[in-house]
């Protein structure tokens, strides 16, 4: 049964396209009012407009504390409250450790880690005022196990996992739940240039023999926001089609570069 999200106001970062757009679309379909944020203003405005009056867009540098304050202020001014945050914004870069650089880790930490930290910090007062709520942090299968040629990326996603656990322990007293979602290989614009094979080709590293789609992930995000998950916090939800990606060196061979 689809979760009823009527009355809930949700912020989704990185929502101009890909996974964030799919999350926002499903949340609106299930009754939520959604604030989509992204650095890509043109695509973000277009995506929000297509979702109707229950969605707005705010241009957002997720690594900026000032931008986070603006997002919170705009959300409350428009919809009156905040009930949930989906920290979805992230970037992917795969490269061997020996040919990597400090710039790689700095960028990944800014977008994948700092944004999650700032987002949780910014939204807590509003969630407390609402009597509780839900924070869903999008990590990765790379945050559950190591991956070759992904030391910086995997490290950033392990950080999201760790912050989620700690925040859940700290914020539970306020009725605020914090969970992480760990997608496997998902066909999004972020991964489109990485996979050798077409998206609809067989993917033997997953037992289900296919690459996932954003629509495989969005229902889990909706569930973790809904009142059907009110005793779930600090959890790690892996959605990967029973994948061996994290353990297999074959994964590197299936990537076009990295």
């Amino acid at each position: 049964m689809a979760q009823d999200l009527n009355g809930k106001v949700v912020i989704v970062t990185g929502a101009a396209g890909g996974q964030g757009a799919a999350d926002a679309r499903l949340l609106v379909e299930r009754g939520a009012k959604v604030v989509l944020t992204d650095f890509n203003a043109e695509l973000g405005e277009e995506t929000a407009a297509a979702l109707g009056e229950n969605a707005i867009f705010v241009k957002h540098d997720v690594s900026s504390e000032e931008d986070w304050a603006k997002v919170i202020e705009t959300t409350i001014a428009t919809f009156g409250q905040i009930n949930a945050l989906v920290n979805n914004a992230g970037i992917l870069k795969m490269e061997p450790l020996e040919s990597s650089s400090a710039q790689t880790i700095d960028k990944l930490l800014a977008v994948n880690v700092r944004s999650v930290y700032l987002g949780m910090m910014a939204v807590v007062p509003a969630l407390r005022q609402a009597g509780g709520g839900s924070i869903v942090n999008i990590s990765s299968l790379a945050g559950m196990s190591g991956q070759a040629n992904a030391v910086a990326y995997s490290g950033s996603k392990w950080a999201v996992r760790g912050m989620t656990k700690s925040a859940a322990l700290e914020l539970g007293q306020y009725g605020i739940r914090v969970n992480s979602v760990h997608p496997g290989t998902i066909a999004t614009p972020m991964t489109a240039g990485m996979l050798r094979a077409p998206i609809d080709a067989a993917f033997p590293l997953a037992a289900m023999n296919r690459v996932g789609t954003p629509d495989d992930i969005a229902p889990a995000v909706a569930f973790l926001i809904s009142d059907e998950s009110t005793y779930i916090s600090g959890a790690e939800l892996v959605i990967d089609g029973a994948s061996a990606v994290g353990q297999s060196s074959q994964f590197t061979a299936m990537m076009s570069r990295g």
Side-chain angles (χ1 to χ4, degrees), residues 10-37 42-58 79 215 218:
V10 186
I11 298 168
V12 182
T13 68
Q19 186 60 60
D23 293 345
R25 183 165 50 251
L26 184 63
L27 295 175
V28 169
E29 287 175 2
R30 295 190 177 178
K33 294 178 172 64
V34 180
V35 175
L36 295 77
T37 85
E42 182 176 357
L43 182 58
E45 292 282 5
E46 180 182 327
T47 302
L51 299 181
E53 62 182 10
N54 286 331
I56 64 168
F57 173 78
V58 180
F79 294 126
D215 290 334

Side-chain angles (χ1 to χ4, degrees), residues 35-42 44-45 56-62 66-68 70-71 74:
V35 175
L36 295 77
T37 85
D38 204 288
F39 197 70
N40 186 335
E42 182 176 357
E45 292 282 5
I56 64 168
F57 173 78
V58 180
K59 186 176 181 180
H60 185 196
D61 174 357
V62 292
E66 293 75 15
D67 272 19
W68 270 107
K70 178 184 67 175
V71 169
T74 301

